[in-house]
Amino acid sequence: MNPTRSLPTPVPEPPVHAPGRAPKPVGHRVAMPAGSTPVDVAVSDRTRQLLDGPIVSTLLRLAAPSVVVMTVQVAVTAGEAYFLGWLGADALAGVSLTFPLIMLMQTMSAGGMGGGVSAAVARALGAGRRGDADALGFHALLIATVMGVGFTGALVLGGPALYRAMGGTGGALAAALAYSNIVFGGAIAVWLFNTLASIVRGTGNMLLPASIVVGGAVLTLGLSPALIFGWGPLPPYGIAGAAVALVTYYAVGSLVLLGYLLSGRSLVRLARADLRPQRRLFGEILWVGAPSLLNNVQTNLTVVLLTGLVGPFGTAALAGYGMGARLEYLQIPLVFGFGSALVTMVGTNVGAGRRARAERIAWTGAGMAAALTGLIGLGAALFPDVWLGLFSTDPAVRQAGTMYLRVVGPAYGFFGLGLALYFAAQGAGRLLWPVLAGFSRLAIASVGGWLAIHWLGGGLLALFAVMALAFVVFGLTLALGVRSGAFRRGDRVVASDVTRHP
């Protein structure tokens, strides 16, 4: 395609003004100082900061609330596992079976389709198309509703067969179904919450979603043990109680976010959105969202297949790997703190035609994410009992988890590098390299893992070594893609790339 896509009409240089004087409006645009990008009056000060502000400080300012939020979510996830650990190895093994699929729904709704939503909104605002940004919010909710209903149907009906195929039997299978049927029965609440939060993040407002998640964490950490063990007047629901607490959090959070977007205080206002479904606007979201979903499927299918490879080693091995893999999965929400900022900043700059700056933003965020995840991985490898001791005292469970963390933990930095560049690619609308990287990880981990066990006879240690190699390949593949100019060539002219004035 033609890389010189349609850009906003340049504005003639205004007359020189006295020092300290504000730039003079020219028509419906504002003449900015030399070296800046001409910006629509419809573009807010928040959007101008994304286009012209210092990269590091702006990225940190945007990422900080989300990083705090995701750290809180890590605490919630760890707390839930801690409470469930009191119910025994079967409960931990059952949650380990459901965890990859729950994370699939989470990553698809927040990082996959949610990234497509944030990127589309950010590009529209960067190009000054406020009306399209409002309508994109409505289209995003339609997509979320369909996806939520689809998850409910697929996992409630197909869950038993799937968990058996993953190695679930007896008490572990019963625990998995008790937890899964409630969580996926309320899947629409998860999809609506993450989609509404993605709309808000696309405007550059990271603080509101962060505040809601922190408040929800307090609710969940109090409600979950109360429902699991039957505190006060509540009866003990066991593992099902944890699932009810989780769905309640997402339902309440969705109502708060919806109220904000209807209130008129947001840059995107659902109350004034054009409610006619438009193929063009679905396309803006799905152009990034659909390939991102494929990447999410690849990531979670990798863990599902690896869980199936671990299953034959026994319940203790499955529980130990599940606790180790839970820390691996928690890298995703942590990197999402940087990733949500990357989607917004890169998307806004791409919408305004500033691709070189978008690429600099991508490398900056990726370096921060790699450093954070690398430190976590090394810490887990050196001190595995700090993490595993939260969940189990069973020696066999802790032995398997320790083996996993010591082998795979040092490769977490490559995982963080790849994830951050994946989010940046969402903002740029360039998803080919993330898909290739995800496929490479899937192929190496699943096929290589099977060969390591069944052909080479290497056991769990060999399987974990293959997992570490898959992380390294994943990160380096995405870095190679961005380094080779993936953000700068093969442009596709979409509606978000063209400035339109009604």
Side-chain angles (χ1 to χ4, degrees):
M1 301 296 292
N2 182 4
T4 59
R5 57 182 178 74
S6 179
L7 298 174
T9 305
V11 178
E13 285 293 325
V16 177
H17 299 281
R21 293 279 301 276
K24 180 182 178 180
V26 181
H28 63 278
R29 296 183 180 276
V30 174
M32 302 298 291
S36 298
T37 300
V39 183
D40 262 279
V41 168
V43 174
S44 70
D45 290 339
R46 179 181 291 156
T47 303
R48 291 191 184 97
Q49 179 65 26
L50 302 179
L51 293 171
D52 294 313
I55 290 176
V56 173
S57 60
T58 303
L59 183 61
L60 288 174
R61 178 176 57 81
L62 291 176
S66 295
V67 170
V68 171
V69 163
M70 297 310 162
T71 302
V72 170
Q73 285 194 325
V74 168
V76 171
T77 302
E80 181 190 64
Y82 173 75
F83 297 134
L84 292 175
W86 293 359
L87 300 178
D90 280 342
L92 286 176
V95 173
S96 296
L97 289 170
T98 65
F99 194 66
L101 298 167
I102 292 171
M103 286 303 296
L104 173 63
M105 179 171 65
Q106 290 273 29
T107 55
M108 288 178 74
S109 57
M113 192 63 72
V117 171
S118 291
V121 169
R123 288 196 300 268
L125 292 174
R129 299 182 294 114
R130 296 284 290 273
D132 276 357
D134 296 337
L136 283 165
F138 165 69
H139 286 70
L141 293 181
L142 292 180
I143 294 172
T145 301
V146 172
M147 295 297 293
V149 171
F151 259 87
T152 295
L155 272 302
V156 171
L157 297 177
L162 181 56
Y163 299 137
R164 288 191 187 95
M166 293 171 63
T169 59
L173 177 61
L177 292 174
Y179 189 78
S180 172
N181 286 341
I182 294 174
V183 171
F184 289 110
I188 192 169
V190 178
W191 273 91
L192 288 176
F193 176 86
N194 286 324
T195 299
L196 289 163
S198 296
I199 295 169
V200 175
R201 291 190 185 101
T203 69
N205 182 350
M206 309 295 177
L207 187 58
L208 178 64
S211 302
I212 293 174
V213 171
V214 171
V218 175
L219 171 66
T220 305
L221 285 176
L223 187 59
S224 185
L227 292 173
I228 292 173
F229 303 112
W231 291 353
L234 298 173
Y237 289 104
I239 195 170
V244 171
L246 189 66
V247 172
T248 300
Y249 153 61
Y250 282 109
V252 172
S254 296
L255 292 175
V256 175
L257 286 166
L258 183 61
Y260 171 72
L261 288 169
L262 289 171
S263 69
R265 292 177 292 164
S266 171
L267 289 178
V268 171
R269 301 179 185 178
L270 293 179
R272 68 183 185 189
D274 184 347
L275 301 184
R276 296 171 300 169
Q278 300 178 51
R279 180 181 300 179
R280 172 178 66 87
L281 297 180
F282 281 125
E284 290 198 31
I285 296 172
L286 295 175
W287 173 251
V288 171
S292 297
L293 293 185
L294 176 59
N295 187 274
N296 296 145
V297 170
Q298 291 171 334
T299 298
N300 290 275
L301 181 59
T302 300
V303 179
V304 169
L305 293 176
L306 290 173
T307 302
L309 291 174
V310 174
F313 288 93
T315 298
L318 185 62
Y321 165 67
M323 294 306 97
R326 183 173 287 255
L327 182 61
E328 169 192 319
Y329 258 122
L330 293 179
Q331 307 307 302
I332 298 175
L334 283 175
V335 176
F336 182 77
F338 291 98
S340 59
L342 286 170
V343 170
T344 302
M345 286 189 71
V346 171
T348 302
N349 280 272
V350 166
R354 306 185 65 176
R355 291 185 178 273
R357 175 178 165 87
E359 188 172 314
R360 292 196 301 273
I361 292 168
W363 283 119
T364 302
M368 294 176 179
L372 175 62
T373 54
L375 286 174
I376 292 173
L378 289 175
L382 293 172
F383 309 103
D385 286 342
V386 173
W387 174 254
L388 298 171
L390 296 173
F391 314 115
S392 177
T393 57
D394 187 313
V397 171
R398 294 177 71 162
Q399 181 182 12
T402 296
M403 184 187 301
Y404 167 85
L405 291 175
R406 285 181 172 164
V407 175
V408 183
Y412 280 0
F414 291 94
F415 190 35
L417 173 70
L419 282 175
L421 292 176
Y422 156 72
F423 284 114
Q426 284 186 319
R430 300 290 176 266
L431 272 298
L432 175 61
W433 281 96
V435 170
L436 291 176
F439 178 78
S440 298
R441 183 192 169 205
L442 172 62
I444 292 172
S446 58
V447 178
W450 187 91
L451 291 174
I453 294 172
H454 298 286
W455 191 40
L456 300 177
L460 274 179
L461 181 62
L463 176 60
F464 293 157
V466 172
M467 294 182 191
L469 175 62
F471 275 149
V472 174
V473 172
F474 174 73
L476 293 182
T477 300
L478 271 160
L480 176 63
V482 176
R483 181 70 179 83
S484 65
F487 287 10
R488 298 191 301 269
R489 55 173 198 266
D491 282 9
R492 173 183 181 266
V493 178
V494 293
S496 59
D497 291 323
V498 181
T499 300
R500 300 181 179 181
H501 302 287

